[in-house]
């Protein structure tokens, strides 16, 4: 099959996300000298503004020319030592990959394997941390938003457990598909490390790992013995003090980040979070109208950035993706490893509005039907439309 080349391809994968024209154009600038004395005029405000997105005043921000995975690696290699005990859970492809990284670095990993569709197992975390009376566990890891299953976990609950037990482990969070989309409060939740990536909520190309590290966590650098060079926090901090970098930074990305942060603050971070919730609710209303279920097992876990939709038993999720892509110019997210063929995903994060959601639902309906699912055409679209209209009427009433 050949893809139809007219118009835009609808991009509804949970990263990379759509890049606003304003951000794309902001990156179209001549190359500049990254050692120029005034380079910090571009970069220093970025560090300050990224902190606002993480909702922290305490943390140090790092920006590495890497994807989000590089951000994970910077957390592990700068703050931990080989053989050190850490606690983590997996319930999807991304949390699983973080477990794999910890093991490859030779950490002593206590791994809670959780059914895909659930989130961080708070009760298990409490039990394991409570039993760890001599505080051998040095880090507690959690994936805030598991992008493979569309599950958002409660991070403040983990902080509450640590505080309750007086446990000093560092709380390290994967916020790659939540930062700038789903409510995230680094200081309030006592998060020690949060890892973000440029190509999700920041609406940029892939290429910046954006990491927040608490002052308490930074103290670990002195004793952590894993080797690090490219991702060294020390080297970064020395150069970043004047807004410079220890090696050639991705300057165009900084111009893009300037524009994307401006857009986020012009809309208002709270409004951005509310918009993601509104659009995600409409997607969920559509899925419900189709008579299908989400991979996420409980409404309290539903993600506002990505929905993983379980296809009917006789339908192949890969077929849905193929039909959407070739017939309707629509990129949907695939089911990864354990849920391959069983789910397809709609990414609804970043630069997104109501009509785009309807586009994703309309295309999904057709692709589902093409793949043999008994979906009533228009049912999901109509449910989302009804929700948008009802919300508009409510806000008109409120304004009056
Ligand atoms: C996308 C994603 C990653 C991987 O990030 P890369 O930028 O592809 O390295 C990790 N964790 C989560 C939750 C993600 O959504």
């Amino acid at each position: 099959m050949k893809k139809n080349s007219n118009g835009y391809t609808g991009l509804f994968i949970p990263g990379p996300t759509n890049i606003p024209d304003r951000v794309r154009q902001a990156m179209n600038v001549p190359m500049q000298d990254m050692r120029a004395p005034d380079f910090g005029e571009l970069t220093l405000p970025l560090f300050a503004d990224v902190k606002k997105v993480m909702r922290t005043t305490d943390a140090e921000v790092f920006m590495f020319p890497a994807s989000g995975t590089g951000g994970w690696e910077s957390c592990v290699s700068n703050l931990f030592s080989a053989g050190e005990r850490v606690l983590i859970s997996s319930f999807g492809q991304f949390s699983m990959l973080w477990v794999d990284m910890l093991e490859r670095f030779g950490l002593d990993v206590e791994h809670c394997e959780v059914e895909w569709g659930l989130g961080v197992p708070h009760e298990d975390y409490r039990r394991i941390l409570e039993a760890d009376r001599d505080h051998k566990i040095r880090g507690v890891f959690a994936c805030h938003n598991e992008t493979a299953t569309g599950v958002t976990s409660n991070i403040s609950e983990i902080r509450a457990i640590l505080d309750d037990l007086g446990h000093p482990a560092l709380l390290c969070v994967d916020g790659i598909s939540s930062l700038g989309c789903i409510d995230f409060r680094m200081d309030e939740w006592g998060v020690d490390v949060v890892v973000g990536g440029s190509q999700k909520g920041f609406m940029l190309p892939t290429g910046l790992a954006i990491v927040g590290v608490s002052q308490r966590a930074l103290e670990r650098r002195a004793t952590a013995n894993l080797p690090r060079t490219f991702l060294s926090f020390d080297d970064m901090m020395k150069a970043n003090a004047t807004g410079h970098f220890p090696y050639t930074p991705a300057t165009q990305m900084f111009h893009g980040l300037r524009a994307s942060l401006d857009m986020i603050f012009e809309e208002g971070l709270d409004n951005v979070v509310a918009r993601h919730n509104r659009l995600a609710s409409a997607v969920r209303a559509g899925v419900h109208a189709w008579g299908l279920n989400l991979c996420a097992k409980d409404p309290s876990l539903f993600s506002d950035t990505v929905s993983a939709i379980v296809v009917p038993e006789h339908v192949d999720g890969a077929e849905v993706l193929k039909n959407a892509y070739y017939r309707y110019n629509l990129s949907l997210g695939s089911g990864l490893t354990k849920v391959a063929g069983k789910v397809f995903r709609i990414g609804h994060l970043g630069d997104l509005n109501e009509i785009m959601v309807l586009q994703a639902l309309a295309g999904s309906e057709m692709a589902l039907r093409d793949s043999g699912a008994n979906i009533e055409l228009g049912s999901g679209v109509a449910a989302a439309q009804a929700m948008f209209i009802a919300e508009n009427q409510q806000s008109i009433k409120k304004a009056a």
Side-chain angles (χ1 to χ4, degrees):
M1 249 189 287
K2 201 174 166 322
K3 189 167 156 283
N4 172 358
S5 63
N6 301 118
Y8 288 110
T9 296
L11 187 67
F12 294 93
I13 59 173
T17 64
N18 294 291
I19 304 179
D21 283 347
R22 179 167 159 195
V23 173
R24 268 205 324 229
Q25 280 159 14
M27 290 187 286
N28 188 3
V29 289
M31 216 50 230
Q32 66 196 91
D33 173 11
M34 81 288 191
R35 299 194 203 283
D38 62 354
F39 193 65
E41 287 176 22
L42 168 65
T43 59
L44 291 173
L46 294 176
F47 289 106
D49 286 341
V50 165
K51 283 164 76 164
K52 292 182 198 157
V53 174
M54 296 174 173
R55 297 197 197 266
T56 177
T57 53
D58 167 78
E60 193 79 26
V61 166
F62 296 92
M63 291 189 278
F64 295 104
S67 80
T69 307
W72 283 352
E73 183 153 338
S74 74
C75 163
V76 181
S77 65
N78 282 279
L79 305 178
F80 293 92
S81 298
E84 250 174 11
R85 197 158 179 72
V86 290
L87 173 62
I88 188 168
S89 49
S90 74
F91 34 81
Q93 180 71 1
F94 295 99
S95 44
M96 215 168 71
L97 287 171
W98 211 359
V99 173
D100 176 58
M101 179 181 282
L102 294 171
E103 286 173 346
R104 289 201 215 181
F105 269 105
L107 300 190
D108 176 11
V109 183
E110 173 100 45
H111 172 201
C112 303
E113 270 192 84
V114 178
E115 186 189 347
W116 287 34
L118 297 175
V120 170
H122 295 110
E123 287 316 307
D124 291 341
Y125 272 27
R126 177 182 283 280
R127 181 176 46 75
I128 291 163
L129 290 165
E130 197 162 23
D132 180 42
R133 289 194 204 289
D134 43 2
H135 299 162
K136 282 267 178 358
I137 294 172
R138 302 277 283 161
V140 173
F141 289 72
C143 184
H144 185 208
N145 187 75
E146 174 51 76
T147 315
T149 57
V151 163
T152 304
S153 287
N154 184 332
I155 299 301
S156 69
E157 178 67 25
I158 307 174
R159 168 48 59 199
I161 293 167
L162 287 164
D163 285 355
D164 198 27
L165 299 171
H167 200 297
L170 296 181
L171 176 54
C172 306
V173 177
D174 177 348
I176 297 176
S177 62
S178 58
L179 274 180
C181 307
I182 297 173
D183 192 33
F184 184 87
R185 298 169 182 272
M186 184 168 192
D187 286 358
E188 198 180 313
W189 299 347
V191 171
D192 290 295
V193 180
V194 60
V195 178
S198 50
Q199 79 277 19
K200 309 225 172 155
F202 288 104
M203 308 175 286
L204 288 162
T206 320
L208 278 184
I210 301 172
V211 186
V213 185
S214 74
Q215 296 303 323
R216 188 172 85 97
L218 284 173
E219 288 169 16
R220 286 281 186 90
R221 285 172 302 149
T223 50
N225 72 9
L226 288 171
R228 58 263 186 184
T229 305
F230 181 66
L231 298 171
S232 162
F233 286 167
D234 285 289
D235 293 355
M236 266 293 173
M237 284 168 78
K238 258 181 243 153
N240 285 172
T242 54
H244 295 88
F245 288 79
Y247 40 71
T248 320
T251 303
Q252 257 73 3
M253 293 289 285
F254 292 149
H255 286 282
L257 181 59
R258 180 67 272 150
S260 89
L261 290 166
D262 288 346
M263 288 181 72
I264 288 171
F265 298 138
E266 283 166 22
E267 184 175 355
L269 186 53
D270 289 333
N271 295 331
V272 172
V273 168
R275 172 169 55 85
H276 278 83
N277 178 258
R278 194 170 72 244
L279 298 177
S281 301
V283 171
R284 292 190 283 262
V287 173
H288 182 73
W290 295 336
L292 298 183
N293 290 317
L294 294 173
C295 184
K297 303 275 184 221
D298 187 83
S300 66
L301 301 170
F302 288 171
S303 165
D304 284 345
T305 56
V306 53
S307 293
I309 298 148
V310 181
V311 295
E313 208 133 290
H314 61 282
V315 172
D316 178 3
E319 200 62 29
V320 176
L321 247 71
K322 221 190 272 172
N323 283 326
Y325 186 73
Y326 283 113
R327 298 187 182 188
Y328 309 118
N329 244 350
L330 181 71
S331 281
L332 300 168
S334 60
L336 300 171
T337 56
K338 265 193 205 179
V339 290
K342 296 187 184 132
V343 309
F344 75 94
R345 294 176 297 156
I346 298 179
H348 35 80
L349 69 164
D351 190 34
L352 200 76
N353 62 28
E354 283 78 358
I355 297 298
M356 291 165 79
V357 165
L358 299 180
Q359 177 192 6
L361 290 172
S364 298
E365 287 178 356
M366 293 191 287
L368 277 162
R369 269 284 280 265
D370 291 338
S371 312
N374 186 19
I375 299 290
E376 190 186 336
L377 291 179
S379 59
V381 173
Q385 286 172 319
M387 184 174 265
F388 291 144
I389 286 179
E391 276 160 4
N392 276 339
Q393 283 171 343
Q394 244 171 11
S395 59
I396 289 167
K397 240 191 246 162
K398 243 191 239 161

